[in-house]
Amino acid sequence: MTDGIGSPERTPEIVDLVGKPINEIKGEIIHKGKAKLVYRTTEESVMLMEFMDDATAFDGKKKGSISSKGMYNSHISAAIMRYLNQCGINTHFLEQMEDRFQLVRPLDMLPVEVVIRNLAAGSLARRLGFDEGDSLERPILEFYFKSDELGDPWLNRYHIRALDLCSDDEIVRLEEDSWRINAMLREYFLDRDLELIDFKLEYGRAADGALVLGDEITPDTCRLWDISSRDKLDKDRFRHDMGEVEEAYQEVYRRVAWED
Ligand SMILES: Nc1ncnc2c1ncn2[C@@H]1O[C@H](COP(=O)(O)OP(=O)(O)OP(=O)(O)O)[C@@H](O)[C@H]1O
Ligand SMILES: [Mg+2]
């Protein structure tokens, strides 16, 4: 996915959709996720994603809502995907629409999530006995099986092959691309006085079989700490009832999407 220009082509169909009101292009719902709704559009090669205020944690056991999260997340993810497209990473992102919608390329999503951890936090800290925020000798890349029924269990390459979730070549690609994205994102966030503690990526196959980065990159999917105060500016504030949840999303939005 990293050869060629990352930015998807702005075909006449996309230009046409961008000029229309959401209600005219919104087709049937294809997928109701916990944080986003995915719709068909009048174009087969374009999907509409709606970012919602709904928030869940601990495998959906904790449910709630974060005021304006959909709007903040849609703009944050759009800004980051644009940046990655410019850096030559193929992403599904096409256009931001109104405040909480995006046009994206439909992908056949891999049931595998890639997590990169630059510092210890969350389940890694619990599982291996680190303190939250401990530094690591080297960053860690992990795979998880996207399965709500099984509680998104941890996987290694052998599990992925045994379950035939993707090919050996695709595993290599996922790892290489995710490391490149980590380097790009760390620098991007550092420029905005944010430390990227860890994050999750989802990839899918495009119509031609190429692996493309999908889903979202937001404070729902990244741990982001203020570089000097080390304040948490991500979903951990919701997970652990830390207060000032909306303010955290708004602050990341301010630092990331401001220039858009
Ligand atoms: N470009 C894309 N094409 C097809 N599906 C996508 C694309 N980008 C993201 N998705 C999928 O759309 C859904 C987004 O919804 P959301 O993030 O709310 O789901 P989730 O609750 O996290 O997970 P899920 O509902 O899949 O268990 C996810 O299943 C994600 O894998
Ligand atoms: Mg999701």
Side-chain angles (χ1 to χ4, degrees):
M1 75 178 238
T2 46
D3 15 54
I5 312 284
S7 199
E9 215 184 320
R10 220 162 182 275
T11 57
E13 305 90 85
I14 296 167
V15 175
D16 186 46
L17 285 181
V18 169
K20 291 184 175 163
I22 292 284
N23 279 341
E24 267 180 41
I25 62 174
K26 200 197 266 181
E28 68 173 297
I29 293 183
I30 311 171
H31 185 89
K32 260 190 189 167
K34 295 185 288 293
K36 300 194 289 303
L37 294 175
V38 180
Y39 304 86
R40 260 185 241 294
T41 68
T42 42
E43 280 302 323
E44 209 188 318
S45 61
V46 183
M47 242 173 47
L48 184 70
M49 238 168 44
E50 178 176 3
F51 287 69
M52 300 184 294
D53 291 348
D54 303 54
T56 61
F58 309 117
D59 293 329
K61 288 194 263 304
K62 179 175 171 132
K63 289 193 175 69
S65 166
I66 301 168
S67 179
S68 304
K69 173 171 82 84
M71 190 263 285
Y72 294 135
N73 274 0
S74 185
H75 283 283
I76 293 167
S77 198
I80 295 172
M81 293 282 183
R82 272 190 210 111
Y83 163 72
L84 292 177
N85 281 340
Q86 281 162 14
C87 295
I89 299 288
N90 261 335
T91 84
H92 70 161
F93 177 80
L94 297 169
E95 279 291 336
Q96 171 78 20
M97 300 281 284
E98 296 181 5
D99 261 344
R100 52 175 70 227
F101 292 91
Q102 290 183 2
L103 297 180
V104 301
R105 286 280 181 222
L107 302 173
D108 180 13
M109 298 304 285
L110 299 179
V112 173
E113 298 181 346
V114 182
V115 169
I116 289 195
R117 300 173 178 277
N118 295 309
L119 269 72
S123 65
L124 178 83
R126 281 195 301 282
R127 203 153 59 84
L128 299 183
F130 288 105
D131 284 328
E132 187 89 355
D134 275 356
S135 57
L136 301 170
E137 210 53 56
R138 302 176 56 157
I140 296 170
L141 185 150
E142 299 173 334
F143 296 111
Y144 289 87
F145 189 16
K146 236 172 95 65
S147 161
D148 280 341
E149 306 85 73
L150 300 173
D152 291 350
W154 177 81
L155 299 170
N156 67 24
R157 293 158 174 249
Y158 298 97
H159 297 110
I160 294 180
R161 292 302 296 130
L163 294 164
D164 198 20
L165 303 181
C166 58
S167 68
D168 283 324
D169 284 352
E170 286 176 326
I171 295 175
V172 171
R173 213 65 205 255
L174 288 179
E175 292 187 347
E176 283 179 5
D177 289 338
S178 300
W179 285 123
R180 286 190 61 209
I181 292 170
N182 184 44
M184 292 167 190
L185 290 183
R186 284 183 90 168
E187 191 185 311
Y188 178 89
F189 284 122
L190 213 50
D191 282 347
R192 288 152 182 85
D193 291 334
L194 291 166
E195 176 149 30
L196 178 61
I197 307 298
D198 56 34
F199 63 102
K200 183 244 342 178
L201 300 173
E202 291 188 27
Y203 296 84
R205 298 184 188 105
D208 63 358
L211 281 186
V212 174
L213 181 68
D215 208 48
E216 64 178 296
I217 299 180
T218 65
D220 276 7
T221 64
C222 302
R223 283 195 174 86
L224 294 166
W225 294 3
D226 179 82
I227 200 75
S228 35
S229 68
R230 305 209 103 198
D231 279 349
K232 295 183 185 202
L233 295 172
D234 56 58
K235 199 163 85 170
D236 270 348
R237 302 200 75 85
F238 166 79
R239 285 192 190 97
H240 306 301
D241 299 317
M242 297 170 71
E244 303 196 330
V245 185
E246 184 196 332
E247 289 79 357
Y249 285 78
Q250 186 183 38
E251 181 58 22
V252 175
Y253 166 74
R254 197 184 64 74
R255 296 190 198 186
V256 162
W258 201 247
E259 66 240 43
D260 271 22

